[in-house]
Amino acid sequence: MRQPGATNDPAGPEEGPKKFSRFTPRARASMAVAAKLAGKANPIDVRHILAGSIADDAGLAALALEGMGVTRSQLLELAGAGDVKCGREPGLDELAQLEFTEAGTAAMRACLKAALRFGHNYIGTEHLLTGVVTEPADLRAGFEQLGLTPEGAHSAIMNKIATMTENFGRKRR
């Protein structure tokens, strides 16, 4: 049963499973973590998306935290979550059933905008984190206390991508 104010159209007009078809496997698993944190009867909020975005230590969002000057534990505390870890990647049909609060929907739209700003045609954990840092008014004070800005998050992620790309190029030679 849908909660008052909840929606299951988090990132635009696409219907059903197609909504999450451009999410990477890690981003899909992150959304499963967000859903688990929200609980079965509750819609996903921006805090759940934040915790989910950094749940996978090997995800780009978690890897870029050092460059942002924040720790995973600081962001998990801000999200009100304990230590979370990614599990299995859910199917697209399962993700299509997710419902979001108004703030969660706004954050998901910001994730899509972040992916487009990066010039990417997919949504990864880095876009989830950047979208969350960009959008939610209710976490803004916490982000400011940590010195985390949308520009800082974007820059740290771009730097991490550049480093990873450079390292990959060296390994292939």
Side-chain angles (χ1 to χ4, degrees), residues 52-94:
S53 75
I54 57 173
D56 185 341
D57 292 335
L60 191 49
L63 293 173
L65 289 178
E66 184 179 327
M68 295 178 206
V70 297
T71 65
R72 186 173 180 273
S73 59
Q74 286 174 310
L75 289 181
L76 289 173
E77 184 178 329
L78 180 61
D83 192 27
V84 295
K85 296 287 180 195
C86 276
R88 67 172 182 80
E89 176 194 340
L92 294 177
D93 288 331
E94 187 178 339

Side-chain angles (χ1 to χ4, degrees), residues 14-61:
E14 293 178 333
E15 293 296 322
K18 200 172 181 184
K19 285 188 281 193
F20 292 94
S21 64
R22 292 197 181 261
F23 279 55
T24 65
R26 282 194 171 106
R28 290 176 190 167
S30 295
M31 293 310 300
V33 169
K36 185 176 180 180
L37 290 170
K40 275 193 180 242
N42 298 310
I44 296 171
D45 193 31
V46 69
R47 294 173 186 275
H48 307 129
I49 300 167
L50 171 59
S53 75
I54 57 173
D56 185 341
D57 292 335
L60 191 49

